[in-house]
Amino acid sequence: PAAGGASESAALGMLDQQEERLERLPQLAAPYEPDTVDLAANAEQRAAWLAALERSTHELVALAERGALLLLDSPSSSPDDAGTAAAAAEVAKMRGFASLYARHLQRLGAQPLAYGALTVRGLLALREQCLRQVGLGDVFGAVKRRENEKAMEAFREVLSASDALAGRERVLALLKNVLAGNMFDWGASQLREALADGSLDLAAARARINYGPPRLNNPEVFAERVTERPYGRVVVFVDNSGADIVLGVLPLARHLVLAGAVVVLAANSQPALNDVTETELRRVVDRAAALDAPLADALARARLLVCATGSAGPCVDLRRLDPHLVALARDADLVVLVGMARAIVSNFNARFACDSLRVAVFKNKMAAEAAGVAAFDSLCLFVPAGAAAADGASRAGEP
């Protein structure tokens, strides 16, 4: 049995489970396959992902053991015996989770089709299921609150810097901020220590990104399109808490609203890593609106909306969305996918009946190698309605 009395077999065959009635994004073109790489068919990628996820799990346990995750809502510095005992119990659950998840990963290494289709999306979803199975919910909850507060301190400064620019230059600056914000990802092993010790800021994040290659980056094309002919309704699938949502996505959404669009921010229904959830995003947007009159006006006039995706993992299957989001997206003429899980690991090759924009950073070796790029290369790819992804992008699933 797993920690907390959970049965290990309870997670078997549950790599992609959702109980709610979910619907397809109206703009999604057929054929559609959400996963970029079939790990069952690609032995090299399979071995690399399984090893990386097991290693990452042990790194998370180490963070919990030294108090970096703040698993309890109460302050970690509380000296009382009850607080210490409760913290120790949460760390024990983390160890139980690591053991449970490692057993699944090892089984899948030996029997890739043991639970059905084997994809990165499924493995990431399985990790969240194992966390819940041992009695752990939002293990990054305290981290997300702390990083949201820290990012809010720089919010006005970031807005002022972009507002000082005009036209295409402003859009390009906003897109660079989305890319830099996407570096604040606790799921990326190479960034985790910098996030834990607080040494990563927006400027440092920008400096680590390689802005290329050209076949996967055409921000100038998007900047020209949105400047010359603004959008009417935009759906943005958001990613991380902290600098990602506050200093990257929100300023871009604000610009689109000011240009005349209704913007729908679509966030996870349940926690996954440090991804912002719909409930958290509502608080973030309210806080940002208190600091910025245009955002406050957009909220008051329902031109900036927040909605749940229906997802419980880092990736998103665009055939399986919350019906309310599908209704809000009905007339959208732009779909934006933010982050590695939503724009690279899944939906890299998706086609849409409307314009689309993918903005992310290749933050691990496996995803970068699958796309034929280097770690920390950028993805800022605008694709017009009805078109396939760029020629190079369509090869991203190849080994």
Side-chain angles (χ1 to χ4, degrees):
S7 168
E8 181 175 341
S9 63
L12 302 186
M14 294 167 59
L15 297 191
D16 187 19
Q17 182 188 48
Q18 281 285 353
E19 296 179 358
E20 300 89 350
R21 180 178 62 88
L22 302 173
E23 299 178 3
R24 185 185 184 95
L25 183 73
Q27 293 80 4
L28 187 61
Y32 171 69
E33 168 53 53
D35 302 297
T36 305
V37 178
D38 179 357
L39 296 183
N42 189 322
E44 183 178 354
Q45 281 275 309
R46 178 172 70 248
W49 273 103
L50 291 173
L53 287 171
E54 185 167 357
R55 184 170 59 250
S56 176
T57 299
H58 292 301
E59 290 170 359
L60 289 178
V61 173
L63 287 174
E65 289 173 339
R66 72 176 200 242
L69 288 186
L70 300 174
L71 294 173
L72 297 176
D73 285 334
S74 57
S76 60
S77 58
S78 175
D80 62 274
D81 291 341
T84 302
E90 294 300 292
V91 172
K93 289 179 183 178
M94 279 295 291
R95 295 191 189 108
F97 149 70
S99 177
L100 173 63
Y101 190 44
R103 288 195 292 274
H104 285 301
L105 295 177
Q106 290 158 12
R107 179 176 182 185
L108 289 165
Q111 305 172 51
L113 298 176
Y115 306 159
L118 183 60
T119 65
V120 179
R121 177 171 58 96
L123 292 175
L124 296 178
L126 178 60
R127 177 173 58 188
E128 299 305 318
Q129 291 166 9
C130 288
L131 281 167
R132 296 183 182 101
Q133 194 175 335
V134 301
L136 288 168
D138 190 359
V139 296
F140 284 92
V143 169
K144 291 187 286 184
R145 289 192 293 274
R146 181 182 66 207
E147 293 193 345
N148 285 339
E149 287 298 317
K150 182 178 180 180
M152 280 296 172
E153 295 173 3
F155 183 59
R156 283 175 165 166
E157 180 182 350
V158 169
L159 291 185
S160 295
S162 61
D163 285 351
L165 304 172
R168 298 171 192 173
E169 291 305 311
R170 178 185 293 179
V171 177
L172 291 173
L174 290 168
L175 290 174
K176 280 197 170 184
N177 283 345
V178 178
L179 286 168
N182 197 238
M183 294 282 280
F184 291 75
D185 181 356
W186 284 74
S189 294
Q190 294 184 64
L191 298 169
R192 198 172 289 138
E193 285 300 322
L195 290 168
D197 64 25
S199 62
L200 188 69
D201 59 20
L202 207 63
R206 285 194 203 99
R208 292 195 67 169
I209 298 171
N210 308 313
Y211 294 98
R215 67 182 175 88
L216 299 181
N217 291 269
N218 58 358
E220 297 84 0
V221 177
F222 176 74
E224 181 176 357
R225 165 64 176 83
V226 75
T227 301
E228 294 185 354
R229 186 159 50 94
Y231 289 97
R233 181 171 287 254
V234 181
V235 177
V236 184
F237 290 87
V238 305
D239 191 7
N240 304 301
S241 294
D244 192 338
I245 186 65
V246 176
L247 305 181
V249 173
L250 271 182
L252 177 62
R254 173 182 180 267
H255 176 79
L256 294 171
V257 168
L258 289 173
V262 172
V263 176
V264 181
L265 301 177
N268 264 25
S269 299
Q270 297 182 47
L273 290 171
N274 66 313
D275 293 3
V276 66
T277 66
E278 178 237 358
T279 301
E280 293 163 342
L281 182 53
R282 291 186 185 278
R283 290 196 292 266
V284 166
V285 170
D286 285 344
R287 177 77 187 281
L291 300 174
D292 181 67
L295 277 179
D297 181 66
L299 274 182
R301 296 191 297 124
R303 300 195 67 78
L304 180 63
L305 304 167
V306 175
C307 189
T309 60
S311 299
C315 302
V316 62
D317 183 340
L318 297 174
R319 301 166 301 188
R320 299 171 60 78
L321 299 175
D322 186 289
H324 183 50
L325 173 58
V326 170
L328 289 176
R330 192 73 59 189
D331 299 321
D333 47 359
L334 175 66
V335 171
V336 182
L337 295 159
V338 178
M340 201 174 81
R342 292 163 185 80
I344 295 174
V345 171
S346 63
N347 302 305
F348 201 84
N349 300 311
R351 298 178 61 181
F352 301 91
C354 67
D355 290 356
S356 63
L357 176 69
R358 294 165 177 81
V359 189
V361 178
F362 289 88
K363 296 185 289 280
N364 73 31
K365 179 182 178 182
M366 296 81 69
E369 287 183 349
V373 301
F376 297 112
D377 278 359
S378 64
L379 171 71
C380 189
L381 184 64
F382 171 71
V383 181
D391 289 343
S394 66
R395 296 195 300 270
E398 298 177 3

